[in-house]
Amino acid sequence: MEMINIALPKGRLGEKVYRMFKAVGYECPSIEEENRKLVFENEKKGVRYFWVKPSDVAIYVERGAADIGVAGKDILLEYAPDIYELADLGIGKCRMCVAGRKEFYDEGSSTLRVATKFPRIARTYYSSISRDIDIIKLNGSIEIAPLLGLSDVIVDIVETGRTLLENGLEPKVDIVPISARLIANKVSYKFKNEPIRQLAQRISDWQPEEGKE
Amino acid sequence: MDAELLLKNEERAVFRLRELYRRHGYLPYKMSKFEEYDLYVRNKSFLVSDHILTFTDVDGKLMALKPDVTLSILKNSNSGKGLQKVYYHENVYRTSPTSHGYREIMQAGLECIGPLDGYAVGEVVMLAARSLETISEEYLLDLSHLGFVSGLLSPLSLSQETEAALLKAMGEKNVPALQQLGREHGLPEETVEALGRLALLYAPPAKALPVLEELAVTEGSREALRELQELWGLLEQYGLGDRLRLDFSIVNDMNYYSGVIFRGYLPGLASGVLSGGRYDNLLKKMGREGGAIGFAVYLDQLERFGAKSRDYDVDVLLLYDHSRTPAAVAAAANAVLASGKTVRVEQEIPDGLKYRELRDLRKEA
């Protein structure tokens, strides 16, 4: 049987995703053992899993190194990979937000300085409301930018909003809701159509016993 | 020794493709490497990538290195009697989202321009399938018809943005997104459901056509279905049945394309190697009557297809020194060649050369 290569995002979300795959019949015992292996196979089920950096999942899938994978909608919006998006897993839920200092008010008369890890999402959002912005691309600790006066606002993922709150920031606008998506390489979907379709169907039909989170 | 062994994958494919097109009466088309930039500006969204390599010619005109072949052929073709059937093999210069820079891409393909009918369209799709067949028996050719989806959408008179968003979701086979768009824009549930089923449809025509019959509820979609059925009948007659799939997630810009569109895939290559379709609307934009259909094979993709890496640069490395006469060295080299092996003759072992066998004349009596 031909194997399906599955790229999972390293970290808490990926572990949750694996449990979901396991629950719908694609378990792989070796992945649950503590070891230093990078690739895990269950030949009987026809699946091969591997962990990659969450922001790289889409690249592995787009280039066909993985047939399918799970990536956050934020990554898909930011990199716009040429892939199929087969299901919304309904986990890893959060929002892409504009946030700023509580007292900040955008009166719209000058170029808005926006610090973000997601320049494409920020640019798309602000061009949709015809606002002139200056993008400051950062790679982490985005919240500090408005505090030090590096930017007026930030565009970032907000889960609970606690980090923002503790730093005197607040979400100003919700841009788009984010959740984990099942994605597939376009050519793999064609040549391994049956098994991929079946997997996607089982994942979209899956209902957890104790609620989705 | 077989001459084909010397050729790279893509070079071998070019030979076979040219032979295939020539046998069906297509004529070779040769064009210059450059074209006036103006041609592309007027039809920018027809191009696969936005970026065009430009330079200024000696007379000050802005020129471009061809990013596309079809536009040049259309521009230079004349509307005479009958069809114009041409094939080409050219390099084009494009960027791709993954490559971060310009790349030279070798393309082969054909165009058929003029008063198209069912036969002409079928012939081009057949040649597309046969093109893939010359490269690998395990190809898949995906067919779609733009009229089917637009036939379902046009009675709703949606805004351009909504339609674009729906088509994008179709292209991603993204049913949750389709449903959400349906809710946001208050689309009829039957339409949203039909679009979802269409997006996920991926099956051989024999299985897919009955499903389409259920979904073809508007005049436009029924017309498209009739064309697909006719095409399918013809392709089945060519014996191409089991390598075809219907896939309505292939979407192209409807400003240029109309009717049948198709993509070809080979196992193990992460993106399509063949792309084509009917582009009557582009012809109309250029102020011309009639229809046009064509396709291109992206030969650069084949570089990695089934290529075996060589373990050695040469079979035998023959070493000699000044004690040997040139005639003696030549005789030794000829002996190796006569046994069917490749030989490299040197006085010292060159850096980085991988050889299977070393023959050192210096040590032989």
Side-chain angles (χ1 to χ4, degrees), chain A residues 62-64 83-86 88 185-187 189-191 193 197, chain B residues 98 138 142 171-174 200 202 247 249 265-267 269-270:
Chain A
E62 185 181 28
R63 295 265 182 162
I83 43 96
Y84 291 139
E85 193 180 313
L86 299 177
D88 183 344
N185 175 270
K186 288 193 165 180
V187 178
Y189 184 87
K190 297 166 196 307
F191 285 97
N193 190 256
R197 244 208 312 216
Chain B
T98 46
E138 257 189 89
D142 292 0
E172 291 170 352
K173 293 191 186 284
N174 193 339
L200 288 184
Y202 192 76
D247 183 351
S249 73
Y265 300 92
L266 298 175
L269 291 185

Side-chain angles (χ1 to χ4, degrees), chain A residues 2 59 61-65 73 76-77 79-88 120 176-177 181 185-194 197 201 204, chain B residues 97-99 138-140 142 168 170-177 180 199-203 207 243 245 247 249-250 265-272 304:
Chain A
E2 212 168 358
I59 297 168
V61 173
E62 185 181 28
R63 295 265 182 162
K73 185 67 183 172
L76 301 179
L77 287 171
Y79 297 102
D82 187 18
I83 43 96
Y84 291 139
E85 193 180 313
L86 299 177
D88 183 344
R120 187 200 284 250
V176 65
R181 308 297 166 100
N185 175 270
K186 288 193 165 180
V187 178
S188 300
Y189 184 87
K190 297 166 196 307
F191 285 97
K192 302 179 183 175
N193 190 256
E194 234 352 89
R197 244 208 312 216
Q201 191 60 49
S204 359
Chain B
T98 46
S99 69
E138 257 189 89
Y139 69 92
L140 286 175
D142 292 0
K168 183 167 173 283
M170 292 277 299
E172 291 170 352
K173 293 191 186 284
N174 193 339
V175 178
Q180 200 192 337
L200 288 184
L201 184 73
Y202 192 76
K207 249 168 99 182
R243 297 275 110 201
R245 299 286 183 273
D247 183 351
S249 73
I250 322 175
Y265 300 92
L266 298 175
L269 291 185
S271 51
R304 270 189 304 278

Side-chain angles (χ1 to χ4, degrees), chain A:
Chain A
M1 180 163 62
E2 212 168 358
M3 306 283 276
I4 307 181
N5 295 312
I6 306 170
L8 294 176
K10 239 183 238 165
R12 235 163 14 118
L13 176 68
E15 281 159 26
K16 210 181 248 177
V17 170
Y18 168 69
R19 284 200 295 275
M20 200 161 161
F21 277 74
K22 183 181 172 184
V24 297
Y26 297 93
E27 73 275 13
C28 180
S30 61
I31 209 169
E32 293 168 50
E33 295 161 12
E34 289 282 322
N35 58 31
R36 285 172 178 274
K37 276 207 286 193
L38 297 169
V39 180
F40 307 90
E41 266 185 35
N42 183 350
E43 245 175 274
K44 255 196 358 243
K45 298 285 181 175
V47 286
R48 182 183 293 127
Y49 291 97
F50 47 90
W51 301 104
V52 300
K53 201 174 157 162
S55 55
D56 287 343
V57 170
I59 297 168
Y60 279 83
V61 173
E62 185 181 28
R63 295 265 182 162
D67 298 316
I68 61 172
V70 171
K73 185 67 183 172
D74 51 329
I75 304 293
L76 301 179
L77 287 171
E78 183 58 33
Y79 297 102
D82 187 18
I83 43 96
Y84 291 139
E85 193 180 313
L86 299 177
D88 183 344
L89 304 192
I91 57 173
K93 278 187 180 168
C94 50
R95 308 167 281 159
M96 186 65 70
C97 285
V98 178
R101 282 162 56 198
K102 283 200 186 105
E103 58 277 19
F104 177 76
Y105 169 67
D106 178 16
E107 94 293 0
S109 62
S110 57
T111 305
L112 189 69
R113 293 170 306 154
V114 182
T116 185
K117 259 198 278 190
F118 304 96
R120 187 200 284 250
I121 296 176
R123 196 168 287 129
T124 314
Y125 167 68
Y126 280 106
S127 77
S128 78
I129 58 168
S130 306
R131 182 78 170 92
D132 187 26
I133 57 165
D134 178 14
I135 290 208
I136 302 162
K137 165 89 164 82
L138 296 177
N139 295 303
S141 311
I142 314 290
E143 295 86 357
I144 206 170
L147 300 179
L148 299 179
L150 176 64
S151 75
D152 300 317
V153 292
I154 60 174
V155 167
D156 204 13
I157 288 174
V158 177
E159 214 175 322
T160 58
R162 221 171 44 224
T163 320
L164 292 180
L165 209 66
E166 282 169 11
N167 288 294
L169 303 172
E170 63 177 12
K172 305 267 183 194
V173 188
D174 283 1
I175 300 178
V176 65
I178 303 289
S179 59
R181 308 297 166 100
L182 179 68
I183 59 175
N185 175 270
K186 288 193 165 180
V187 178
S188 300
Y189 184 87
K190 297 166 196 307
F191 285 97
K192 302 179 183 175
N193 190 256
E194 234 352 89
I196 290 181
R197 244 208 312 216
Q198 200 175 56
L199 189 150
Q201 191 60 49
R202 287 198 201 166
I203 290 281
S204 359
D205 292 346
W206 182 69
Q207 293 293 336
E209 284 108 49
E210 74 283 32
K212 281 228 161 172
E213 282 291 300

Side-chain angles (χ1 to χ4, degrees), chain B residues 116-359:
Chain B
L116 295 178
D117 58 6
Y119 172 77
V121 171
E123 183 184 78
V124 170
V125 179
M126 176 274 288
L127 285 171
R130 294 260 187 266
S131 300
L132 294 167
E133 207 174 61
T134 61
I135 301 162
S136 163
E137 282 178 10
E138 257 189 89
Y139 69 92
L140 286 175
L141 185 68
D142 292 0
L143 277 176
S144 175
H145 194 297
L146 284 175
F148 200 93
V149 178
S150 71
L152 291 180
L153 293 181
S154 60
L156 305 175
S157 25
L158 302 167
S159 73
Q160 234 177 23
E161 281 148 37
T162 317
E163 195 169 299
L166 283 170
L167 291 178
K168 183 167 173 283
M170 292 277 299
E172 291 170 352
K173 293 191 186 284
N174 193 339
V175 178
L178 282 172
Q179 287 164 343
Q180 200 192 337
L181 283 165
R183 280 194 299 275
E184 276 169 24
H185 299 280
L187 305 181
E189 255 174 56
E190 316 85 73
T191 312
V192 174
E193 209 221 288
L195 289 178
R197 282 181 69 189
L198 266 185
L200 288 184
L201 184 73
Y202 192 76
K207 249 168 99 182
L209 285 170
V211 180
L212 292 184
E213 264 167 53
E214 277 173 50
L215 298 175
V217 291
T218 62
E219 188 43 49
S221 52
R222 273 195 295 272
E223 178 57 37
L225 178 59
R226 270 193 293 278
E227 267 181 55
L228 276 177
Q229 279 163 335
E230 187 186 40
L231 178 63
W232 165 233
L234 198 59
L235 293 170
E236 207 175 19
Q237 194 188 320
Y238 283 123
L240 294 168
D242 54 337
R243 297 275 110 201
L244 294 179
R245 299 286 183 273
L246 284 183
D247 183 351
F248 286 87
S249 73
I250 322 175
V251 280
N252 265 352
D253 192 334
M254 293 200 197
N255 286 320
Y256 298 99
Y257 290 91
S258 56
V260 174
I261 51 173
F262 45 93
R263 297 276 159 85
Y265 300 92
L266 298 175
L269 291 185
S271 51
V273 293
L274 182 148
S275 170
R278 191 159 173 177
Y279 48 93
D280 295 11
N281 291 347
L282 174 62
L283 207 63
K284 225 175 276 163
K285 274 194 164 195
M286 297 178 110
R288 298 261 304 271
E289 291 291 306
I293 184 169
F295 63 82
V297 185
Y298 303 126
L299 295 160
D300 60 312
Q301 295 275 333
L302 303 183
E303 221 175 57
R304 270 189 304 278
F305 183 71
K308 282 183 221 90
S309 59
R310 278 179 315 153
D311 298 329
Y312 301 97
D313 297 317
V314 66
D315 291 327
V316 179
L317 176 62
L318 190 67
L319 291 180
Y320 67 99
D321 58 17
H322 55 268
S323 70
R324 303 272 158 175
T325 64
V329 178
N334 276 337
V336 178
L337 285 170
S339 66
K341 289 178 180 159
T342 58
V343 64
R344 168 98 170 229
V345 186
E346 290 281 354
Q347 292 216 29
E348 275 173 84
I349 299 178
D351 286 337
L353 184 83
K354 281 181 88 183
Y355 49 88
R356 195 193 297 262
E357 196 183 310
L358 178 71
R359 220 183 121 201

